[in-house]
Amino acid sequence: MPALSSTMKEGKLSEWLTTEGSPITAGDAIATIESDKADMDLEAFNDGTLLKILVEDGETAKVGDPIALVLEEGESEEDVMAMLNGGGGSTSAPAADETAPPSAPPAAVSEPSTPHTKVYMPALSSTMTSGKVVSWEITPGDSISTGEPLLTVESDKADMEVEHLGEEGFLARVVVEEGGSCEVGEVVAVVVEKETDVAAWEDWVPGASGTPSPAPAATSPAPAVKSSSSKAASSPSPSPPSGGRVVASPLAKKIAAEKGIDLSQVTGTGPEGRITVSDVESFTGSSSASTPPKSSPPPVSTWKPASGVIAATPMARVLAKKQKIDLATITGTGQFGRVTELDVKSAMGEKPKKKKTTGATAPIELPSGFVKYTAMQSAVSSNMEATLAIPIFRVSRVIEMTSFNALYAKVKVKGVTLSALISKAVAMAVEKHPIMNSRHDPKGGIYYNEDINIANAVALEGGLITPVMKNANEKTAEELGVEWKELVQKAREGKLKPDEFNTGTFAITNLGMFGVSAFDAILPPGTGTILALGATTPVLAPCDTCIGGISKRMEMTVTVTCDHRPIYGSDAAVFLKTLADVMENPEKWKIA
C-alpha cells in the first residue's frame, strides 16, 4: 500500500483494475486507491503476472502493508507462495517479517508521550518507491505552519517541495538528514505542538522495523501560537531559552544574517523568549564580526523562488553545507537563477578550470568521466526501456500552417501560447477519433479514457516532465493559455502535483523551436499515442492563381507514434487528416 500523501497512514482498495493470473506491464494502472486526499490509480512498478490479491475491493490496509503478490520473470510460483505461507499459512496479513521469530527492539530512546505528528516520506508520483531528502527548509526548534514548505524531496520525477499538512507546531526531530534516502511511508521527521517538547525528541529514533508507527492522538491539543492574553498570563517577561540554544523564527534568522546581527545578543519577546522579526529589526546593538553577505546583483531571469526558499541544485546544497556556506549569500547563475555547484565553488574562491585553446574562441569546460543519473533521469531511462515491449508504428503528415500561424499572431496578444493553441486543435481532433485517446489494457482489451487530457513534454535541468492540461477539448484557447503558463512555472519550480503530470491520455512533444524538421517520438508507458511536432518551414508550392504559378506557404511535419495493439494504421491516418483540417481551417473549427 503506497503513501499517496505525506499524511496518509492507510488506504482503501477501491477497485482492482486487473485480475489474478493476468499479465501486467510496468506503468499499467492495476488498482484504484482511496487515500485521505483523493482516489488515485496505482501503477505497476515491474513487468510480471498478478499472482494473488491480498486486499480485496473495499478493504483497507496500512501504508507499507502488502496488498498483492506479483510474479516477476525468473521467479517460480512455488517460491512466492512459500514466502506468503511461511508465517503459519495465514494470508490475511502476509508480512515478510512473519517468517522470522520476533526480535527485540533496538536500544533506543522510547517514544515520548508528548502530542506530536510524524511526517512520512510522501509518494510524489505513482511510480515513486523511495525518495531522497535534498534539503530541510527549517531546522529543529523552528516553528512551522500549515502549508509552509518543510523539506525538498528528490523523487523519480523532479525535486519537489513538500508542505507541512498538519497543525501548527515546531520541528522537533529530523530522522532523515539532507542527502539521505528512505522508502515511501517511512518517518522523516517529527513535529510537536509545544516548543518545550522539542528537547524530548532529540535522541528518538524509529523502531527497528523501519516502518512508520501510527501517530498517537493528541490527548490535550494546544495551539502552537498562543494569543497575546494567554502569553501575558503565562510569561510576564521574555526570557531566553535554556541550554544556550538561540530560538528564532526562520524569517528572523534570515534578516539577522542579512544585517550581520548576532542573534545571541538579541532579546526575544516571543513565546518563551523566541526571537521574532520585530526583535531583530529593533535591535540597536553592534553587528556580528562576521562579514555581512554581499548584495546580490539583479537575477539572471524573471523567475524568483517562493519567499523563504533558495533555489539550488542538490550538489550545490551538499557542497554548501559541507563548507558551511549560506546559500542565501550566493547569486545563482543556473537556469532561473538556481545556485549551481560552480556558484558554490566560486564563493569558496575556487576558480573554474579552463582548457587551453589555440584559436580565438573562448575556452569551453567539457564534462568528463561518469556521472550518475538523477532520480528523474533514472525514471526516464526505466520508462524508455519499458517501451521496448510495446509494438508501435509511426505515421507522418505535412500540415499547411499559414492560416494557423495567422490565428496565433491574432490571439497571442490575449495570452494564448503556441502550446495551448496546438493542444486545443489536437484535443478537437482527438474528440472525433476516441480510439486515439485509448490505451492497451492488460486484461486483453482497449481502455477508452473518458477525459481528453493533453500532456506536453517540458525539458528541465537533468530531465523532462509532462504537465497535463485536463479536459482540453472542453476549454477555450485562452483558458488553456493561462493554465499552461501556470503548469510550466510550477514545473520549473518543481511544484507540480502528481495528478498534474501523470494523468495525460494523449502526449505531445515539440522540437520545432530548435529547427528540427521532423522526428519520431518514443511512446510513453500507459498511453496509446504521442504526437511529435517539427518546425514550421517556408516552401514553394504550385499556385494556379498566383503570378508565375508559384506561391510560398508555411508547412509543418507531424508524426504520431501509436501502440499497434489498440490502434491501427488507418486510425492514425484518419486522425491526422482531421488534425490537418482543424489546423488548416481554424476559423471553420473555431478553435480560438
Side-chain angles (χ1 to χ4, degrees):
M1 176 61 69
L4 303 178
S5 73
S6 59
T7 58
M8 176 178 168
K9 297 180 177 63
E10 64 178 16
K12 179 180 178 182
L13 206 300
S14 298
E15 178 188 9
W16 282 101
L17 304 179
T18 185
T19 57
E20 291 183 356
S22 299
I24 59 176
T25 304
D28 286 347
I30 59 175
T32 301
I33 305 293
E34 179 183 331
S35 71
D36 58 344
K37 301 295 181 184
D39 289 0
M40 296 181 66
D41 284 346
L42 172 65
E43 296 181 358
F45 298 139
N46 304 97
D47 296 345
T49 302
L50 185 63
L51 182 60
K52 187 169 183 61
I53 291 176
L54 305 176
V55 179
E56 299 291 343
D57 291 358
E59 294 182 352
T60 300
K62 292 183 179 179
V63 168
D65 283 354
I67 59 176
L69 294 180
V70 175
L71 182 67
E72 297 183 9
E73 186 177 356
E75 294 179 332
S76 66
E77 183 174 340
E78 291 74 16
D79 291 340
V80 177
M81 294 305 297
M83 179 188 71
L84 172 64
N85 297 320
S90 170
T91 60
S92 59
D97 293 341
E98 293 179 358
T99 60
S103 58
V109 177
S110 59
E111 182 172 303
S113 59
T114 58
H116 65 278
T117 300
K118 290 189 178 73
V119 180
Y120 303 103
M121 175 62 71
L124 302 178
S125 73
S126 57
T127 58
M128 175 178 168
T129 57
S130 65
K132 177 181 178 182
V133 176
V134 175
S135 64
W136 286 96
E137 305 305 330
I138 62 174
T139 57
D142 290 342
S143 64
I144 183 73
S145 300
T146 304
E148 288 184 351
L150 181 59
L151 72 158
T152 299
V153 172
E154 178 182 325
S155 71
D156 60 344
K157 301 291 185 183
D159 289 1
M160 298 178 65
E161 273 188 359
V162 176
E163 297 179 352
H164 177 53
L165 302 179
E167 299 295 330
E168 293 183 352
F170 298 86
L171 181 62
R173 178 79 168 93
V174 170
V175 177
V176 181
E177 297 290 344
E178 292 182 355
S181 301
C182 69
E183 299 296 316
V184 166
E186 289 189 1
V187 179
V188 296
V190 177
V191 175
V192 297
E193 293 184 0
K194 300 179 181 179
E195 188 175 5
T196 53
D197 295 335
V198 171
W201 289 84
E202 288 182 355
D203 299 322
W204 175 83
V205 293
S209 64
T211 56
S213 57
T219 55
S220 57
V225 181
K226 296 186 180 294
S227 64
S228 57
S229 59
S230 62
K231 190 189 305 180
S234 61
S235 179
S237 60
S239 60
S242 60
R245 182 169 63 87
V246 177
V247 180
S249 69
L251 185 56
K253 292 180 180 179
K254 180 180 179 181
I255 295 176
E258 293 174 351
K259 294 185 176 182
I261 296 175
D262 184 357
L263 286 176
S264 63
Q265 301 178 13
V266 181
T267 301
T269 61
E272 301 178 6
R274 185 179 182 84
I275 298 174
T276 64
V277 174
S278 59
D279 296 331
V280 176
E281 292 178 342
S282 61
F283 179 69
T284 56
S286 59
S287 298
S288 169
S290 60
T291 304
K294 295 180 289 185
S295 59
S296 300
V300 296
S301 74
T302 58
W303 175 84
K304 292 182 179 180
S307 177
V309 178
I310 300 174
T313 65
M315 291 302 295
R317 292 183 185 277
V318 172
L319 182 59
K321 184 177 181 181
K322 182 178 179 181
Q323 299 295 328
K324 297 182 179 179
I325 297 175
D326 186 0
L327 286 172
T329 65
I330 302 176
T331 301
T333 60
Q335 189 177 28
F336 297 98
R338 202 178 193 192
V339 178
T340 66
E341 186 179 9
L342 289 177
D343 296 331
V344 179
K345 289 182 178 180
S346 177
M348 294 164 50
E350 183 176 332
K351 295 183 179 180
K353 298 178 181 178
K354 295 183 179 180
K355 297 199 173 185
K356 296 180 179 180
T357 56
T358 56
T361 58
I364 300 175
E365 180 71 17
L366 296 176
S368 62
F370 172 78
V371 178
K372 185 176 178 60
Y373 281 150
T374 64
M376 178 184 289
Q377 289 170 329
S378 295
V380 171
S381 176
S382 299
N383 286 339
M384 296 304 98
E385 291 176 359
T387 62
L388 297 177
I390 301 176
I392 62 168
F393 69 92
R394 298 180 176 94
V395 177
S396 299
R397 182 184 177 105
V398 173
I399 297 178
E400 204 275 309
M401 294 291 289
T402 304
S403 298
F404 189 88
N405 288 349
L407 174 64
Y408 173 59
K410 186 184 302 182
V411 299
K412 184 178 180 180
V413 296
K414 300 179 182 179
V416 179
T417 64
L418 183 60
S419 295
L421 193 61
I422 291 176
S423 296
K424 175 62 177 179
V426 170
M428 296 181 71
V430 170
E431 194 173 33
K432 298 294 182 181
H433 305 279
I435 189 66
M436 305 303 292
N437 198 46
S438 70
R439 60 176 172 80
H440 169 71
D441 194 304
K443 291 184 290 188
I446 302 173
Y447 185 89
Y448 286 91
N449 294 293
E450 181 179 2
D451 300 325
I452 299 178
N453 299 337
I454 305 297
N456 281 261
V458 173
L460 300 176
E461 182 180 355
L464 60 85
I465 200 166
T466 52
V468 177
M469 287 179 278
K470 299 179 182 178
N471 302 303
N473 58 315
E474 300 176 1
K475 299 175 181 177
T476 65
E478 290 186 28
E479 291 173 335
L480 292 176
V482 174
E483 182 178 346
W484 181 243
K485 289 179 181 178
E486 293 176 352
L487 288 170
V488 171
Q489 178 75 0
K490 293 170 73 173
R492 302 296 189 195
E493 298 173 2
K495 294 181 179 180
L496 283 176
K497 297 177 182 178
D499 68 341
E500 291 177 326
F501 63 78
N502 63 11
T503 54
T505 60
F506 188 103
I508 299 176
T509 177
N510 185 359
L511 294 179
M513 70 285 292
F514 300 109
V516 175
S517 56
F519 69 103
D520 299 333
I522 298 177
L523 185 67
T527 59
T529 308
I530 183 171
L531 177 68
L533 306 179
T536 300
T537 56
V539 296
L540 296 177
C543 177
D544 295 336
T545 60
C546 300
I547 299 176
I550 296 177
S551 68
K552 184 180 79 170
R553 66 181 190 179
M554 306 301 291
E555 291 183 351
M556 176 178 69
T557 300
V558 300
T559 303
V560 287
T561 302
C562 304
D563 186 338
H564 210 329
R565 291 171 292 185
I567 304 171
Y568 296 162
S570 58
D571 298 323
V574 174
F575 164 74
L576 287 182
K577 181 180 180 181
T578 301
L579 178 62
D581 189 31
V582 173
M583 300 186 76
E584 291 174 357
N585 303 282
E587 294 184 357
K588 181 184 77 173
W589 286 82
K590 298 179 180 179
I591 67 174

